[in-house]
Amino acid sequence: MTDQGISPTHESGPETISAALPAGTTIHAWIKASHGGARGRLSAHVDGKPAGAVETSNPHEFEFRRLTLESGGETAFTYDPAATDVSLVYAFSQPRVLDEGIRLLHVRPSNAAPDITGGYHFRPPFGWMNDPNGFGRFDGRVHLFYQHYPHSLRWNNMHWGHAVSEDYLRWTHLPIFLPPSDEIAARADGRGGAFSGSAIALEGAGVRIFFTEHMKDREPEEQVQFTATSRDLVTVEPARLILPERPAGLGLTTDFRDPYVFPGPDGKWKMLLGTRDREGGVILLYETDDPAAAVGWTFLGMLHRENRFGMTAAECPCMVPLDGPVNEPMTRWALIFGLLTSRDPATGRRNMTLATIGRFDGRAFSVEFEQELDFGTDAYAFQAFVDGSGPVGIAWLANWTDVSKEIDMPTAMTLPRRLALRQGALITPPVTGVESLRQRRLDAHSLLDGRSVDLADGCVEILLTLQEAGNAFHLAFDHPEAAVAVQLTDDGLSIHFSVTNAKASPNYIAAGARPSTIRLFLDAGSIEVFADDGRWTGTKRLPGFKGISSMRLSAPEGNVRAAEIWQLGL
């Protein structure tokens, strides 16, 4: 992969990565030895003069190396491919990186981001991505950390990737934030790494993160909890262990992960952790009196459990106030969590995410009602925080049932979503400002007339307004690899999805839904449905890296009062 101003050469002998770079540029490189014996080496020259080199003797996994260019000019990075493999090279200005981001100089075909026309969902600049982590506003910007393996498009030892945004929609990619421990990072064998977690603001400036370190087959605990800080929001200080073991005597499995830290109504920091026992998923509650949330974490007990879907692990929990301040006793809170390996027997859907609404006094959670967060189930590992007037969340736009060793996924995050209570239900509409993605109107008259509408690159927003709530319609989409449709019937609102020669698809349905408006967002690899301002939300990952090319509406005469279509783009 090349960036503007980069001129890699591919002649016999040494390979070269070339770029014009200013003085003081920081280089991050990931290299490994091609085989045992010879050392891997990447050398830098600026205007023909030596400017430093980095080395490794590890033939098993790419190792991180850092280099600072004291002078600026035409820069050449050279290596001998017979002795050295280079996975990643990127450059940035340390003082300006939060504004400018990184400049990607080199990736391999096996970890390069897919070539996608258009697209407005968050995607990593290279490698694999899954759960959002540490989602929050720090020092004035929205920060998104995420589960990341930078060296291929498959899951492997977990790092934390990092990006920032001013509006939740347009993101600046930053240097990889948190690598696995040296022991885990030494081999590319999927043993674990820096698993999911959360972040809080440090007093003054900076961020404190919390994460699970996972190491397969480690005794007695595979999963333990760490904290670390970053004052500049770019480089992280050494991590420190804070929870070395699971609570004893509860019959918990080795699942013990995804610390979510938030301010409680009693002024203390609280921490949620996901686990399971022989009956189902369990969410644990911890707290600390430490104002910095650095030490003194104590176990309070089980906050919530979910037993209806078998012995499933509750994971990626988060908890936010919905309709009032944190310290108000009548404020209702949303407790949201994923259920790994869960299966709904009525629909066949897997790995569902639940939202449980109730009141929280800092030690106990009293449930008032529960609903599914997303009837399409491909908004997983949802994480939210309170930003100004209310909470905002984001999720991984995928489902573990779709992950395999045979295919590369069009991995992305969902559109960020607001959370609020309305008429006794949780609504999750897209963030305010998503309308800024609209570039031009497309022909909606043809859609209402039942004709096929061309969608160009497939990056569009569609708004249907029904004459009466619950009026039936069927919206069919043309996709190169799947049969896709959205329809409303007496049974409810559903996303129809099937792939040729695949086993029967689950029934992605919001049973009984009778909306008046349906807002759809299409992009390469995804469809998101928001009905009645997010009262019913459905998200489905689509296969491949191409968008929906056209669509056709079928409905009884008079059922659809109006339709609007916009071409979207960043």
Side-chain angles (χ1 to χ4, degrees):
M1 182 173 185
T2 61
D3 196 3
Q4 189 174 4
I6 302 167
S7 304
T9 62
H10 301 285
E11 299 174 357
S12 59
E15 299 232 5
T16 301
I17 304 163
S18 300
L21 298 172
T25 296
T26 297
I27 304 298
H28 283 186
W30 271 259
I31 66 173
K32 72 176 179 178
S34 294
H35 51 77
R39 295 180 68 85
R41 179 181 175 90
L42 181 71
S43 301
H45 289 75
V46 177
D47 291 335
K49 298 178 181 179
V54 293
E55 292 186 339
T56 180
S57 59
N58 185 1
H60 304 293
E61 175 62 304
F62 296 98
E63 292 192 323
F64 167 67
R65 296 291 184 265
R66 176 189 175 105
L67 183 66
T68 300
L69 302 179
E70 295 184 0
S71 59
E74 290 297 325
T75 306
F77 301 92
T78 59
Y79 64 98
D80 178 1
T84 307
D85 285 341
V86 181
S87 170
L88 277 174
V89 182
Y90 57 77
F92 61 95
S93 165
Q94 186 78 33
R96 300 190 300 274
V97 66
L98 288 169
D99 297 312
E100 299 175 353
I102 62 173
R103 179 179 173 187
L104 188 57
L105 305 183
H106 171 82
V107 294
R108 302 175 301 154
S110 57
N111 65 336
D115 184 13
I116 295 175
T117 302
Y120 53 91
H121 285 77
F122 177 84
R123 298 179 183 275
F126 43 77
W128 164 270
M129 178 185 73
N130 55 288
D131 304 356
N133 301 147
F135 189 45
R137 185 178 292 278
F138 307 110
D139 295 0
R141 291 182 173 91
V142 178
H143 287 251
L144 173 64
F145 304 92
Y146 53 90
Q147 291 284 274
H148 187 38
Y149 183 68
H151 308 307
S152 82
L153 301 181
R154 310 261 191 252
W155 187 95
N156 206 307
N157 295 332
M158 284 289 97
H159 303 55
W160 276 29
H162 190 193
V164 291
S165 177
E166 301 287 346
D167 62 0
Y168 290 106
L169 301 170
R170 298 160 181 87
W171 295 92
T172 298
H173 296 294
L174 298 182
I176 293 172
F177 185 74
L178 180 67
S181 67
D182 291 343
E183 183 180 1
I184 294 172
R187 301 183 64 89
D189 56 6
R191 286 190 297 164
F195 273 28
S196 292
S198 57
I200 61 173
L202 287 173
E203 185 175 355
V207 65
R208 175 178 295 281
I209 66 167
F210 304 85
F211 66 95
T212 298
E213 183 190 79
H214 176 92
M215 184 182 293
K216 186 178 180 181
D217 298 327
R218 178 171 55 191
E219 296 289 347
E221 300 290 344
E222 288 191 349
Q223 300 182 350
V224 295
Q225 316 312 316
F226 277 81
T227 187
T229 60
S230 173
R231 286 293 178 182
D232 63 4
L233 294 167
V234 179
T235 56
V236 65
E237 298 172 8
R240 185 172 56 80
L241 181 66
I242 54 172
L243 292 179
E245 59 187 4
R246 293 162 287 167
L250 298 179
L252 303 177
T253 66
T254 55
D255 301 279
F256 179 54
R257 60 179 175 270
D258 310 336
Y260 178 82
V261 175
F262 63 105
D266 52 8
K268 298 180 181 180
W269 289 107
K270 309 293 177 178
M271 179 192 292
L272 305 180
L273 284 156
T275 182
R276 77 172 93 182
D277 61 16
R278 292 183 178 180
E279 296 181 10
V282 175
I283 297 173
L284 307 176
L285 177 64
Y286 287 73
E287 74 173 14
T288 182
D289 294 323
D290 178 19
V295 295
W297 287 100
T298 59
F299 177 56
L300 297 182
M302 292 187 179
L303 182 70
H304 187 72
R305 63 180 306 122
E306 176 53 70
N307 298 344
R308 291 175 298 170
F309 302 99
M311 187 182 166
T312 61
E315 60 177 10
C316 302
C318 76
M319 197 170 190
V320 288
L322 292 174
D323 60 351
V326 169
N327 59 358
E328 168 56 53
M330 298 307 291
T331 294
R332 291 179 177 85
W333 294 68
L335 172 62
I336 300 170
F337 54 94
L339 287 171
L340 185 66
T341 72
S342 60
R343 183 182 184 276
D344 179 15
T347 63
R349 294 171 302 151
R350 302 294 302 272
N351 299 323
M352 295 170 294
T353 298
L354 298 183
T356 305
I357 314 302
R359 290 191 169 89
F360 177 57
D361 65 5
R363 300 182 72 89
F365 181 58
S366 58
V367 177
E368 295 186 3
F369 69 91
E370 179 184 80
Q371 68 185 63
E372 206 170 339
L373 185 73
D374 190 291
F375 69 86
T377 71
D378 286 1
Y380 196 71
F382 187 87
Q383 188 170 102
F385 75 102
V386 177
D387 189 17
S389 61
V392 177
I394 197 169
W396 181 39
L397 207 165
N399 192 298
W400 285 112
T401 58
D402 294 327
V403 177
S404 76
K405 296 180 179 179
E406 289 74 39
I407 62 170
D408 291 330
M409 295 177 63
T411 190
M413 295 295 180
T414 64
L415 283 174
R417 299 166 184 185
R418 295 182 290 115
L419 294 88
L421 285 178
R422 180 181 297 170
Q423 298 177 345
L426 176 68
I427 64 169
T428 56
V431 290
T432 303
V434 72
E435 294 80 10
S436 69
L437 297 174
R438 296 172 179 173
Q439 296 183 334
R440 61 186 178 90
R441 286 182 179 269
L442 300 181
D443 177 20
H445 297 292
S446 295
L447 190 67
L448 290 173
D449 291 342
R451 289 175 286 168
S452 180
V453 176
D454 178 63
L455 299 181
D457 64 5
C459 299
V460 299
E461 175 191 351
I462 306 155
L463 178 61
L464 299 181
T465 303
L466 307 183
Q467 189 67 37
E468 295 182 5
N471 274 3
F473 71 87
H474 181 91
L475 192 57
F477 300 101
D478 293 319
H479 186 273
E481 299 185 39
V484 185
V486 172
Q487 72 172 21
L488 182 60
T489 68
D490 290 342
D491 294 330
L493 179 66
S494 59
I495 301 172
H496 284 220
F497 171 84
S498 62
V499 178
T500 304
N501 298 325
K503 60 183 180 181
S505 177
N507 185 15
Y508 300 106
I509 186 168
R514 293 181 57 82
S516 298
T517 60
I518 297 88
R519 192 178 185 187
L520 302 98
F521 290 85
L522 308 182
D523 200 350
S526 67
I527 179 171
E528 292 176 274
V529 181
F530 300 92
D532 281 3
D533 200 28
R535 168 60 186 88
W536 297 279
T537 300
T539 306
K540 187 72 190 77
R541 188 190 71 85
L542 304 179
F545 300 100
K546 295 186 181 300
I548 288 169
S549 59
S550 63
M551 63 181 178
R552 182 188 298 269
L553 176 67
S554 301
E557 186 175 354
N559 272 20
V560 180
R561 187 174 68 195
E564 297 174 276
I565 312 169
W566 292 271
Q567 178 75 51
L568 301 185
L570 294 172

